[in-house]
Each structure stands twice: as structure tokens, then as C-alpha cells.
Amino acid sequence: MGEEDGKKHREKDQTRRPQHFAAHFCRIFRLLNGRRSSQLSIAFLIFLCAIEEFLIYHIGLISAQFYYILLLKDVYKFYIHLAITLALILFMSLIKSAKNYVASVLYIEWRECISEQLITHYFGDLNYYLLSQPGDGSTFGGHDDKWTVKEGKRKGAALKALDNVDQRISQDADRLCAELSNVLSQIVLSPLTILYYSVKVYTTIGLFGLLACITTFLVSTGMNRAFIKSIVKWTYLKGKHEGDYRTVLIDSIKNSEMIAFANAETKQKNRTLDCLKRLMSIYENLILSQFFLSLSTSVFDYSGSILSFVIIAIPIFGGTFDHLSKAELSHTISSNTFICLYLINCFSKVLDISSNFGQVNGFGYRITELLDSFKENNRQKFDYSNTLSSESPELLMQFSDVHVIMPSSTDQQLCAIKKLSFEVKAGENVLITGDSGQEKTAILRIIKGFWPISSGSIKCRLNLNDSRQVMIVCYNSKLQNFFQQVRIYSQPT
């Protein structure tokens, strides 16, 4: 019961984090754009999007110009305008295709950049070793003079508590880059586009039209904020529980023989089904949040078309355009309706990308949480290389009263090794024997600096990090016993 409560508390604490969307989004953006090439790609993408918006404006006025020309019955102007329209459409198609291509290139650059950072930290400070060890992650800590069991457990547990690290490095990084590449151009240009068309609506229709659009947008934004926060939370938890479910299935395959011997099929099946039920519950909450967000944005999208006619109707019924001819009035109504519609459409895009924005932050929190845990670990193995004096040239390694407390225990009395002393000289073969569980492997962990020593000293004449001088080879076979060999060379080869 206590373990279950603790799990719920951790999940609740994790879901409190997705609050400051903008600040966290900026952090993700900086992580992804550390390279010059990606920065240039973003600049080129923004340039293409700016051209696209310019073309959209002129294509949007095509209908108004056609109305005007047809009412004038001017054949020559009709063909000229038709040719210009076809050229705009072809140019627009080229720009949209180029924009999609650059966005795909950005995805590749971002994916490579964030993956390199994650992999570098994964193999740094022996993080990969810690994550592969059983237990709560307290199997190693800071290997310095101030190391304590309590501090070692705190550092290890912070990293070990992470779920599905492999999924975060691969799948979550992929989803983050894919979602962001889809919405980046809209995020960057939406404020500028909204500002431009707001000025156009104000100058052509008046203050009332602008206020009507902004009020509708603010109402929809207020409704959507709660849904976005919920989507971020459930996206975060979906990734966690998806990985838990996959881990249970992999464990069943790896431990199939043990399960069969113990007749534990029913227990393993129930465990798997429990993980599946929790995952499906997360999905239900996520799609419910997405449903309400979609409902809100759809209502705003469809009501926007009606709102544009309401806005243009006010100056028409007020007699503002009474001085215009029928052709000029038709052109004015069509062009002004387009401007209002596109301003509303710009507001709609902001609401539409809110779901993608929530997904980006959800996956981003899993990535930044992993990076933060890697950095918090921030430990280095202790290196005993070249610590032996030159008084005895034949002496290669020396253990003197080495005392080691089991790193996974807070009990100072639980010793892995007590007062171990031995020497290795040039030309000697040393064989360490003992029953299983007698901490033979612990000696290798101490030599490599994975485990700290509580007292005593270890000295070595050679470089323990140079495989040409000291090599530890592990043989692992399902049909044979686990065997380890340490090869120490008196001279580098």
C-alpha cells in the first residue's frame, strides 16, 4: 500500500511540472538549435513562410478582382488577371513544397542534435551502468573523499527513478522533433500575421470589427487553456505508461523459463493486464481532453466565417459604402470579407496549434527531465591509475586493508568487503575463488572505481583506463557459468 501511494505521489508531483509553457518551450528550442545549420534552416523557413503569407494575401483578393472585372465585362482584363492568378498559384505551390521540405530537414537536424546530447550524457559519468543495475539506483555514488552512503543513494536514486530511458532517448525524441517541425512556422509568424491583419481590419472596417475578432479569440483562448494543460499532463503520463507496458512484455520474454518453472503465468498475465488497464485509462483521459479542445476550436473556426459577414454588414447598413458603384461595392465586400476571415483564421491557427503545443511540451518535459537527471548525477569513477610509487618496480597493484560498505545499503555495518589486502606483481597469476555471492565481482568494481572504498587504500602502477595495460574481459553464456578474467600487463603493448 505504501509503495502504491508513493507511486501515485510521484506521478502527481511529475504532472505538476508542465505549468510554465513558454519558458519550457524556449528551453526545448535552445536544446534543439545548438547547431549553425539548424539556425540557418529556421531562418530560411521563416523567409519561405513570409513569402507564403504575402502570396496568400494576394490570392485571397483574386475573387474580389474577378467580381469587379466580370461586372465590368472587360475581357482583356479578365485574361490578364487569369494569367496572373495561375502564376500566383504555381509560385504558391512551389513555396509550400519548399517549406515542407525545409521543415523535414529541420526534423532531421533536431533529431540528430538532441539524440547526440542524450547519448553523450547517457554514456557519460557511467549513467548507462547505473541504469542497468538492479535496485533503487543507489549502487554507486560520488567517489571522492567526502562520499557517504546517504549521498551516494540520493544521487543514484534520482537517475534510477526515471521510467523508460530507452523510450525517452528514441521514441520521445522522435515525437518531440516531429511535432515541433509541424508547428514551428505557425508559432513564429502567427504574431506578425495577426498584427498585420488587425491593422487592415481596423483601417478598412473600423474599431468594432477588430474588437469583435479579438474578443472571440480571447474567449476561446480562456476555454482552451485548461484543456492544453490537461493534454500536457496526459501526454507525459502516456509516454511513461506506454514504456511500462512494453517493459512488462519484454520481461515476460526474458524470464519465460523462470515464469514457467514457477507456474507464475497467471501472476504475470495479471501484471501485464494491470499495466494495460492503466495505459488505456491514460489514453481515455487524453482523448477526452483532446475532444473538448477540438470542440472549442471547431466552434470558433466555423463561427468565424459568420462573424466576418456580421462585421462587414455594419458599415454597409450604416451607409459607409453608398457612394460606390455595384462593381466597386462587390470588390470592397469580397476583399474586406477576406481580410476579416483571414484574421479570424489566424486566430484559429493559434488555437489549432495549441494541441500540438501541448504535445511538444509533454514530450519535451520527458526529455529535459532525463537530461537534468543525467547532469544531477554528475559523478566520476575514482581512478587509482599511476598511484603506486616506484620503490618496488615489480609491484603492479596493491590492496591495503580495503573496507567496502555495500553501496545499496544505508547500514554502515553491512560490508561487501572487509580488510582485504593483497598484491599483484609482474609475472604472477592471481586466481580469486569463492562461492556465488561472496563479492568476487565487487573487487573488479572497486578496481574500476565503480564502488567507493570506506577505508584502506588501493594503489596501481598502471593506467587502469588503458586496455593495453589492464583489460577486464567478461564471458557470459546461457549454457555456461559467468566467468571474469583480469589481464594485467607489466608493460604496455
Side-chain angles (χ1 to χ4, degrees):
M1 189 70 179
E3 182 180 351
E4 192 68 24
D5 292 340
K7 185 176 182 181
K8 292 180 179 178
H9 176 75
R10 286 193 302 271
E11 289 188 1
K12 184 178 180 181
D13 180 65
Q14 288 169 334
T15 56
R16 288 193 193 121
R17 299 178 186 179
Q19 293 177 355
H20 306 290
F21 298 130
H24 187 259
F25 177 80
C26 291
R27 182 187 176 190
I28 296 172
F29 198 72
R30 287 194 299 270
L31 286 173
L32 294 174
N33 293 286
R35 297 179 175 180
R36 182 70 174 173
S37 58
S38 61
Q39 295 170 5
L40 293 175
S41 297
I42 291 174
F44 187 53
L45 180 63
I46 294 173
F47 173 72
L48 292 175
C49 291
I51 295 177
E52 183 185 31
E53 290 297 331
F54 174 80
L55 293 174
I56 287 174
Y57 174 74
H58 286 278
I59 291 174
L61 297 178
I62 286 175
S63 298
Q65 191 66 23
F66 268 123
Y67 285 143
Y68 179 72
I69 293 172
L70 289 173
L71 287 174
L72 291 176
K73 297 182 180 181
D74 190 330
V75 177
Y76 177 75
K77 288 185 177 180
F78 175 80
Y79 285 115
I80 293 295
H81 188 60
L82 181 62
I84 294 174
T85 301
L86 292 176
L88 285 174
I89 291 174
L90 289 175
F91 193 35
M92 182 67 171
S93 301
L94 175 63
I95 293 298
K96 287 182 71 70
S97 299
K99 187 186 76 169
N100 293 334
Y101 174 76
V102 174
S104 299
V105 171
L106 262 178
Y107 159 78
I108 296 173
E109 292 177 344
W110 286 341
R111 178 74 189 278
E112 184 178 9
C113 180
I114 193 65
S115 296
E116 285 183 358
Q117 293 181 62
L118 290 169
I119 291 171
T120 299
H121 285 290
Y122 178 72
F123 286 102
D125 298 335
L126 290 178
N127 289 317
Y128 70 95
Y129 176 79
L130 168 63
L131 290 166
S132 67
Q133 299 306 300
D136 64 356
S138 57
T139 49
F140 65 121
H143 289 59
D144 53 21
D145 293 337
K146 297 181 180 180
W147 187 91
T148 63
V149 174
K150 182 178 180 180
E151 179 68 12
K153 185 170 184 177
R154 184 190 68 78
K155 287 186 176 181
L159 181 59
K160 192 66 175 181
L162 290 176
D163 62 277
N164 310 302
V165 172
D166 59 329
Q167 178 182 319
R168 293 175 188 243
I169 295 176
S170 56
Q171 183 177 333
D172 290 347
D174 168 64
R175 294 292 300 278
L176 169 65
C177 298
E179 292 287 348
L180 185 56
S181 64
N182 290 333
V183 300
L184 175 66
S185 59
Q186 298 177 32
I187 293 174
V188 173
L189 281 182
S190 288
L192 299 177
T193 308
I194 289 174
L195 178 61
Y196 175 77
Y197 282 96
S198 296
V199 173
K200 293 289 288 185
V201 169
Y202 177 74
T203 55
T204 56
I205 299 175
L207 182 61
F208 173 79
L210 178 60
L211 291 178
C213 293
I214 294 176
T215 301
T216 307
F217 169 71
L218 292 177
V219 171
S220 301
T221 302
M223 294 173 58
N224 289 347
R225 176 169 182 163
F227 303 141
I228 296 172
K229 189 177 294 186
S230 180
I231 287 174
V232 172
K233 179 183 78 171
W234 295 119
T235 300
Y236 178 93
L237 291 177
K238 184 193 76 169
K240 177 185 184 303
H241 286 275
E242 191 77 61
D244 291 343
Y245 177 59
R246 188 180 70 250
T247 301
V248 171
L249 294 175
I250 294 174
D251 287 344
S252 299
I253 297 172
K254 287 183 176 180
N255 303 315
S256 57
E257 188 175 57
M258 294 172 59
I259 294 171
F261 277 130
N263 296 320
E265 296 90 348
T266 302
K267 183 176 180 180
Q268 189 67 11
K269 180 190 74 173
N270 292 336
R271 181 186 171 205
T272 306
L273 290 176
D274 287 342
C275 286
L276 178 62
K277 289 178 181 178
R278 286 194 294 269
L279 177 60
M280 292 302 102
S281 176
I282 297 296
Y283 268 101
E284 289 173 1
N285 286 284
L286 176 60
I287 63 174
L288 185 62
S289 299
Q290 290 174 335
F291 165 76
F292 286 115
L293 181 61
S294 175
L295 176 63
S296 175
T297 54
S298 298
V299 168
F300 180 76
D301 289 344
Y302 289 109
S303 62
S305 59
I306 301 174
L307 179 63
S308 64
F309 288 105
V310 173
I311 293 171
I312 195 64
I314 294 173
I316 291 176
F317 293 147
T320 305
F321 303 127
D322 288 349
H323 63 285
L324 299 177
S325 65
K326 289 184 178 180
E328 292 172 336
L329 180 60
S330 175
H331 179 274
T332 301
I333 292 174
S334 180
S335 59
N336 288 344
T337 301
F338 163 72
I339 293 172
C340 292
L341 274 173
Y342 200 72
L343 176 59
I344 295 170
N345 179 64
C346 291
F347 285 131
S348 299
K349 285 181 180 179
V350 174
L351 297 176
D352 291 340
I353 66 175
S354 57
S355 177
N356 300 86
F357 191 66
Q359 296 273 355
V360 168
N361 268 290
F363 291 116
Y365 274 106
R366 291 178 59 78
I367 296 297
T368 54
E369 183 183 47
L370 178 61
L371 284 172
D372 289 342
S373 296
F374 282 153
K375 293 174 181 178
E376 285 174 7
N377 182 35
N378 191 26
R379 43 87 61 206
Q380 296 288 339
K381 63 181 181 179
F382 195 86
D383 191 1
Y384 301 104
S385 301
N386 305 313
T387 55
L388 194 60
S389 63
S390 58
E391 296 176 358
S392 178
E394 294 184 353
L395 187 61
L396 301 180
M397 184 178 294
Q398 183 183 63
F399 273 55
S400 300
D401 293 327
V402 172
H403 186 86
V404 178
I405 299 173
M406 187 70 70
S408 59
S409 173
T410 57
D411 186 359
Q412 297 285 341
Q413 304 301 320
L414 186 58
C415 299
I417 295 176
K418 183 183 294 186
K419 295 185 177 180
L420 175 64
S421 299
F422 69 91
E423 295 179 348
V424 178
K425 297 182 179 180
E428 289 184 343
N429 292 320
V430 179
L431 178 65
I432 301 175
T433 63
D435 296 334
S436 178
Q438 296 299 310
E439 304 301 342
K440 300 182 298 297
T441 307
I443 298 176
L444 302 183
R445 295 190 182 111
I446 296 167
I447 292 175
K448 289 295 292 181
F450 299 161
W451 284 12
I453 61 174
S454 302
S455 61
S457 65
I458 299 174
K459 296 181 180 180
C460 183
R461 185 181 303 280
L462 306 176
N463 185 356
L464 294 170
N465 298 313
D466 188 351
S467 298
R468 295 172 300 176
Q469 299 186 37
V470 178
M471 179 183 295
I472 298 179
V473 184
C474 300
Y475 300 93
N476 189 3
S477 173
K478 293 181 179 179
L479 302 178
Q480 299 177 1
N481 292 329
F482 189 82
F483 176 74
Q484 290 139 326
Q485 177 183 358
V486 182
R487 181 69 57 85
I488 299 179
Y489 304 96
S490 58
Q491 297 293 333
T493 59

